């Protein structure tokens, strides 16, 4: 059963469209379960109760496909959708909800098993198998169907979204395909899609049209030849470690590469006008299917070898920019399975109109980078029909986290208007530049910038920010191919220190791990967010820590505005060890003749343990800064980077608010200032509550500074305190959110939290 299941799932996810995907499901199920009939019903994608349309069937009256539709309260199929649970009936015809439809002609199908197809807690279809004679399906069949429906739900949804979008293109439907994801960076972007894919992800390869098939065919042949050489070399290297029979696999690989059939299909696709990687993708897919269908388990297993070969050749095909760097459209929407910082950096800033990533959430570091760059971004758009999007028009609504695929004229017009209003809003915000960040009743609050990108430190940023509240030093580490040396780091840190002087600059020591990796320092962990992260790495490598601290102290000589901040502190011992190392580096530098004071040292509170030890920490340091991104993740046990759980990642959760209050109180008892440097500080809903808590400063992405200044200038401190008190009485984050949205709208600044003014 497991191999049947796996095979159906793989075939469906590789199907070129919805009809093909559904056809595979009904045919395969029919064969695997030996049933008389099998059918799939799907709803429309809009919200609310929808009619269930018969979309595919095997063993039924095919004329009914596409025509028969049932209301949710109609028939057994409707009942499965209403209850969102399987229904297994031996005598379906005697059930009060039984309905004779033309799907089965005049025949009576006695046995019925229907299971719901559920994606992101929404029923959007029903999978049915039926039998003429009364036969009760056993539990094994029911669990097989339930497992299959759960596994297929996402693939079917991708295909549905793809179909909706492409019906629009062919004029068969109005509107646009909408893919719902999560807000990554605010703003609206309209442009042409460029698909970013990783060099080893065969299924993500987009269709791209080419003019010169001959050169693409040659490119593929060269890649195959070069792969053969690699495999032969690999086989030779393994001679001393692997027995001959194990090494035979390499010969099989070379034989496959020599075989004609594998490439005939690729060549056909290329000659049809698509580039070599798409030809390779198609050829690999069809061969994988052929192998999977083989009854001999040994041969069936060869499917994974074919995939492996495909990946190797794809890497050899390398970047498609054979003729110099790629020319990006003037308004590029970069979309990909898991868009990376490096892929973003490849697109010229002035051409990048939006980003869509199928993986990740608004708290992922890629989203933080997008906010820093001010690029409207949608994260976690898991249903994006990525392989079919290259060159298509997309609209990114970074407020709602929606992507419109091939919008019609009405939708486009609406978004062009919203985009214009956005520009007007940012112009309006520029008027606030020279005004103080002060509440209507005279309370001042400092607004600091978060950055890590040298390019971002501009005169405009320095003018708006009261200082640098978080410099993420891992960013300059991430764009290099080795650890930067001490002198190189001195130069890196001098830049922000000098640019902001005499305003304070908080440099955070290296915070790698979790979703922040260094290309030259690979760490493989099952649970990276709970693993070797932040201070844990640098304390295990004091040479890295000491080099960094020495560079920071040297960069500060003659400037004097440096503060050092320690990430991921979860035990006092880490704080003590870090402080001892900083003091040691400082003493050594004094001995070497450097004239620089010991800077203020602060701790990031981003692990729940540190909240409970806030007083013990506060009395030992000069300042506290709260990393709400990680604190929310760890308090709620919700991976900040995982779109599946993004719905429950909520910094307005009462537990997070209570922790923030506790941190502020604990630090105040020792007279230490508290800053917030997580994204919550740059969220208008969060900023009002933080103002009410009496937080001393807020540190945020550059793009949020003027927005938050507007928020602070729109509220009195008194009002913010009252709102906070009400929020602290609430028991549910959704309630807090609803109240905060209402307050923001009432203050006349709703344009900050939704598209338009
Ligand atoms: C945080 O966790 O809130 C924070 C500011 O650090 P980072 O986002 O870099 O993990
Ligand atoms: Mg953090």
């Amino acid at each position: 059963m497991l191999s049947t299941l796996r095979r159906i799932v793989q075939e469906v996810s590789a199907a070129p469209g919805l009809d093909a995907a559904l056809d595979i499901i009904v045919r395969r199920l029919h064969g695997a379960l030996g049933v008389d009939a099998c059918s799939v019903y799907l709803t429309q994608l809009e919200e609310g109760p929808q009619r269930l349309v018969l979309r595919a069937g095997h063993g039924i009256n095919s004329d009914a496909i596409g025509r028969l539709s049932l209301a949710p309260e109609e028939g057994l199929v409707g009942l499965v959708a209403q209850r969102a649970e399987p229904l297994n009936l031996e005598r379906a015809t005697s059930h009060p909800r039984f309905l004779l439809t033309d799907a089965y002609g005049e025949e009576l199908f006695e046995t019925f098993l229907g299971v719901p197809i559920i994606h992101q807690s929404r029923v959007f279809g029903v999978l049915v198998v039926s039998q003429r004679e009364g036969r009760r399906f056993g539990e094994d069949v029911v669990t097989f169907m339930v497992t299959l429906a759960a596994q297929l739900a996402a693939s079917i949804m991708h295909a549905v979204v793809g179909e909706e979008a492409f019906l629009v293109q062919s004029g068969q439907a109005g509107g646009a395909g909408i893919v719902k994801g999560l807000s990554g960076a605010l703003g609206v972007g309209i442009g042409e899609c460029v698909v970013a894919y990783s060099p080893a992800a065969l299924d993500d390869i987009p269709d791209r049209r080419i003019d010169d098939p001959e050169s693409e065919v040659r490119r593929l042949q060269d890649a195959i030849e070069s792969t053969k050489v690699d495999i032969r070399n690999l086989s030779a290297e393994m001679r001393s470690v692997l027995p001959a029979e194990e090494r035979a696999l390499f010969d099989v690989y070379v034989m496959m590469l020599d075989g004609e059939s594998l490439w005939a299909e690729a060549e056909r696709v290329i000659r049809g006008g698509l580039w070599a990687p798409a030809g390779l993708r198609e050829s690999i897919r069809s061969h994988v299917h052929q192998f999977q269908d083989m009854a001999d388990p040994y041969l069936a297993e060869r499917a994974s070898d074919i995939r492996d070969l495909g990946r190797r050749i794809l890497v050899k095909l390398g970047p498609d920019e054979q003729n110099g760097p790629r020319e990006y459209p003037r308004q590029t929407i970069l979309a990909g399975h898991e868009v990376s910082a490096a892929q973003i950096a490849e697109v010229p800033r002035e051409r990048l109109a939006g980003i869509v990533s199928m993986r990740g959430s608004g708290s992922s570091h890629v989203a933080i980078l997008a906010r820093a760059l001010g690029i409207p971004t949608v994260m976690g758009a898991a249903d994006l029909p990525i392989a079919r999007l290259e060159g298509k028009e997309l609209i990114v609504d970074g407020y709602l986290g929606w992507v419109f695929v091939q919008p019609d004229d009405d939708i486009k017009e609406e978004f062009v208007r919203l985009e214009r209003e956005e520009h007007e809003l940012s112009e309006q915000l520029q008027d606030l530049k020279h005004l103080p960040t002060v509440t209507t009743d005279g309370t001042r609050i400092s607004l600091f910038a978060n950055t890590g990108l040298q390019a971002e430190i501009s005169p405009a940023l320095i003018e708006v920010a009261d200082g640098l509240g978080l410099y993420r030093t891992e960013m300059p580490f991430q764009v290099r191919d080795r650890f930067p040396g001490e002198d190189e780091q001195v130069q890196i840190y001098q830049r922000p220190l000098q640019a902001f002087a005499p305003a304070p600059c908080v440099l955070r020591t290296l915070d790698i791990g979790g979703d922040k990796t260094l290309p030259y320092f690979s760490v493989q962990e099952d649970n990276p967010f709970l693993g070797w992260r932040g201070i844990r790495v640098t304390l295990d490598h004091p040479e890295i820590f000491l080099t960094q601290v020495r560079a920071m102290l040297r960069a500060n000589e003659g400037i004097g505005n440096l503060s050092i901040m320690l990430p991921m502190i979860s035990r006092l011992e880490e704080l003590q060890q870090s402080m001892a190392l900083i003091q040691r580096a400082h003493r050594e530098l004094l001995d070497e003749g450097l004239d620089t004071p010991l800077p203020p040292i602060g701790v990031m509170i981003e692990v729940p343990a540190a909240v409970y030890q806030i007083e013990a920490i506060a009395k030992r340091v000069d300042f506290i800064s709260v990393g709400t991104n990680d604190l929310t993740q760890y308090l709620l046990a919700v991976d900040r980077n995982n779109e599946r759980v993004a719905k429950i990642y909520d910094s307005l959760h009462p537990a997070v608010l209570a922790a923030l209050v506790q941190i502020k109180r604990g630090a105040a008892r020792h007279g230490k200032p508290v800053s917030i440097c997580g994204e919550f500080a740059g969220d208008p809903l969060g900023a009002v509550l933080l103002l009410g808590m009496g937080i001393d400063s807020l540190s945020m992405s550059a793009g949020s500074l003027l927005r938050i200044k507007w928020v602070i200038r729109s509220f009195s401190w008194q009002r913010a305190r009252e709102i906070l008190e009400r929020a602290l009485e609430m028991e549910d984050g959704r309630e807090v959110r609803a109240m905060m949205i209402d307050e923001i709208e009432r203050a006349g600044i709703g344009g900050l939290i939704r598209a338009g003014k």
Side-chain angles (χ1 to χ4, degrees), residues 10-27:
Q10 276 173 357
E11 280 188 44
V12 169
S13 40
L18 180 62
D19 287 339
L22 299 181
D23 197 53
I24 293 167
I25 296 171
V26 290
R27 280 175 193 284

Side-chain angles (χ1 to χ4, degrees), residues 508 511 533 606 630 640:
R508 178 173 74 180
D511 183 22
R533 252 203 97 177
E606 44 187 357
D630 279 314
R640 65 189 268 187

Side-chain angles (χ1 to χ4, degrees), residues 72 217 245 277 372 385 416 428 445 457 472 562 646:
V217 169
E245 65 271 24
V416 169
Q428 206 177 320
I445 184 158
I457 305 170
R472 292 184 163 97
L562 166 73

Side-chain angles (χ1 to χ4, degrees), residues 365 472 508 511 516 533 567-568 604 606 627-631 634 640:
H365 282 95
R472 292 184 163 97
R508 178 173 74 180
D511 183 22
K516 287 182 284 195
R533 252 203 97 177
M568 274 293 285
M604 285 194 79
E606 44 187 357
T628 45
N629 306 336
D630 279 314
L631 186 58
Y634 294 126
R640 65 189 268 187

